[in-house]
Amino acid sequence: MASTAPAEKPARPKGWKLLRIALQKRKSATMLGFGFSSGLPYALLIGTLNAWLGEVGIKLATIGVLSWIGLSYSFKFLWSPLVDRFHLPLLDRLGRRKSWIILCQAVLILGFAGLAATNPVTSIGQFAIFAFIAALASATQDVAVDAWRIDVADEESPVELLSAIYQFGYRIASIVGGALALLLAARMTWGSVYLLMGVLLALIMIVTLRAP
């Protein structure tokens, strides 16, 4: 009796082909948007903001103190249990994770608008407050996005794949919030640049609303 050979499994796609196939799925495409939403504020608040302050003549000591807003990302574990357990009134019908993400994105847009409307030369204190609020919202958004990624992961969209797509979106945002923002600042005011970045985040809010 002739033995039947086991059927060979189709080769798993790799590289750009795997990315293209993954982004056809709703969860993965949403993860790309969330990665962008996380990376953009970090680039704008930690790096690009210092370039803005340096260009307008703010003292290095003041810029150094203002850079402490980056500690929000280091200490976000302190309030992550609150994000995990607390249900936001009204917004909670979107889902616990989505409600926190949409709230943080709204605060980020307002924070960028506040930075755009404030002259750091004459109102550095107010400027610092807007930067701190935006950094706090950005760090909190990272907590909620990490939780969402774990919640929606399944066999079709494993957490490893979602994490890789998140990093891809994050790196794209780093380029937009870094190199592209600096390029735009050479052609328009810094306030206009941050308003434009706020518009990009507003578009990501649409992705958040449609997220599973």
Side-chain angles (χ1 to χ4, degrees):
M1 183 175 178
S3 59
T4 57
E8 293 184 2
K9 294 182 179 180
R12 186 176 181 180
K14 298 180 180 180
W16 289 104
K17 185 177 181 181
L18 174 61
L19 177 64
R20 178 168 50 82
I21 294 175
L23 291 180
Q24 293 175 359
K25 301 172 184 176
R26 186 180 174 195
K27 292 178 182 179
S28 301
T30 301
M31 195 76 259
L32 181 67
F34 284 169
F36 187 90
S37 181
S38 294
L40 188 64
Y42 186 86
L44 291 171
L45 295 171
I46 303 304
T48 307
L49 195 69
N50 293 339
W52 180 358
L53 296 176
E55 184 177 300
V56 297
I58 301 299
K59 294 181 180 179
L60 289 177
T62 303
I63 295 176
V65 172
L66 192 57
S67 66
W68 289 357
I69 63 173
L71 293 176
S72 301
Y73 296 92
S74 300
F75 291 99
K76 61 186 177 183
F77 68 90
L78 294 176
W79 60 87
S80 59
L82 174 66
V83 178
D84 187 55
R85 294 179 175 85
F86 185 72
H87 294 261
L88 293 173
L90 302 179
L91 291 175
D92 193 57
R93 60 183 180 179
L94 297 173
R96 193 190 317 173
R97 314 304 186 194
K98 286 175 60 176
S99 62
W100 276 100
I101 295 171
I102 204 78
L103 174 64
C104 291
Q105 289 172 345
V107 173
L108 278 167
I109 293 171
L110 293 176
F112 287 163
L115 290 172
T118 305
N119 185 349
V121 177
T122 58
S123 306
I124 188 63
Q126 182 178 338
F127 191 88
I129 291 173
F130 281 125
F132 174 73
I133 292 174
L136 192 63
S138 176
T140 305
Q141 178 189 224
D142 291 350
V143 174
V145 167
D146 288 342
W148 181 88
R149 178 172 62 237
I150 295 172
D151 284 350
V152 303
D154 53 24
E155 292 184 1
E156 190 178 56
S157 299
V159 69
E160 295 83 3
L161 178 61
L162 293 177
S163 298
I165 293 174
Y166 172 86
Q167 287 298 325
F168 185 63
Y170 197 99
R171 299 306 175 190
I172 294 175
S174 297
I175 296 173
V176 173
L180 181 59
L182 293 174
L183 186 64
L184 291 173
R187 293 163 171 77
M188 60 178 70
T189 64
W190 279 104
S192 299
V193 172
Y194 275 72
L195 282 177
L196 179 60
M197 298 301 163
V199 172
L200 292 180
L201 279 179
L203 295 177
I204 297 297
M205 287 182 71
I206 301 175
V207 176
T208 304
L209 291 173
R210 295 178 57 84

